Amino acid sequence: MSIDREKARQRTEFNLVPTVHESEISYLKSDLKPAHKFEVALEPDDFTEEKYLLFEDYQTHVHHEPPPKTTRTGFRRFLCDSPLTRTQRRLPSGKEQQLGSFHQCYRLDGELVAFGVLDLLPGCASGVYFVYRRDVER
C-alpha cells in the first residue's frame, strides 16, 4: 500500500488498539522522558483485591453507596462472573481476536487508577462499566 493511501486509510478508519495505546511510554519517541508511566492492559475479568478496593472507593465516593452495601461477593457477581466464555477466534487476516468479558486496566506508575469492563463480541465491543480513582477523575 502506498504511503498516501495508508495515511488516507488512517484518517478514515478507526483502529481501537493503536488509539488506546498511543499515550503509552512504549509508543513515545525514544528521546522523550515522560514524568509518569501510563499503561493499558486487557486482562481476564477475574477478581483481584486491587480491583475490588478501587471499585469500593468508586462506589462510596462517586455513587454515594454506603460501605456495607459494597461487598466482595457483590463485586464478583456484578463485574467478574460474566456468563460470557472467554475464547479466541482466528480472523481472515490471520490475527487472533479475543472474545468474552475482560477488564481493561489503566495503570499510572504501576498503580491501578481505572478499569473498564468490556464484553468483546465477534462484531462489537460493549462497555459494561467503568471505575476510576477519584484523584484522576479530571
Side-chain angles (χ1 to χ4, degrees):
M1 182 178 292
S2 74
I3 294 173
D4 291 336
R5 286 186 65 203
E6 176 61 19
K7 286 182 180 181
R9 185 193 63 76
Q10 289 174 354
R11 283 193 303 269
T12 60
E13 290 181 16
F14 176 76
N15 190 333
L16 179 64
V17 174
T19 303
V20 166
H21 294 286
E22 68 186 5
S23 63
E24 292 184 54
I25 194 167
S26 61
Y27 286 79
L28 297 177
K29 294 178 182 169
S30 61
D31 59 336
L32 294 175
K33 301 292 182 221
H36 299 281
K37 184 178 179 182
F38 179 68
E39 300 169 289
V40 180
L42 191 64
E43 300 178 2
D45 64 344
D46 297 332
F47 174 91
T48 67
E49 189 68 13
E50 179 185 38
K51 292 174 191 175
Y52 171 72
L53 292 173
L54 184 61
F55 172 76
E56 180 182 53
D57 182 72
Y58 176 83
Q59 291 298 108
T60 301
H61 294 95
V62 174
H63 290 292
H64 309 290
E65 187 171 283
K69 290 190 81 175
T70 304
T71 65
R72 285 168 178 78
T73 301
F75 171 68
R76 276 188 178 98
R77 188 174 51 249
F78 181 40
L79 298 177
C80 298
D81 293 339
S82 171
L84 295 178
T85 302
R86 282 193 302 269
T87 186
Q88 290 184 344
R89 73 175 186 161
R90 186 166 303 279
L91 298 172
S93 66
K95 292 183 180 181
E96 291 288 325
Q97 179 186 33
Q98 295 199 55
L99 301 172
S101 188
F102 294 87
H103 290 163
Q104 186 165 7
C105 297
Y106 301 82
R107 288 188 167 76
L108 184 61
D109 298 329
E111 187 175 338
L112 184 67
V113 294
F115 70 92
V117 180
L118 300 176
D119 286 346
L120 303 180
L121 306 170
C124 69
S126 175
V128 176
Y129 206 72
F130 191 77
V131 175
Y132 55 85
R133 205 172 70 189
R134 291 176 285 148
D135 63 331
V136 297
E137 179 177 12
R138 293 186 186 264

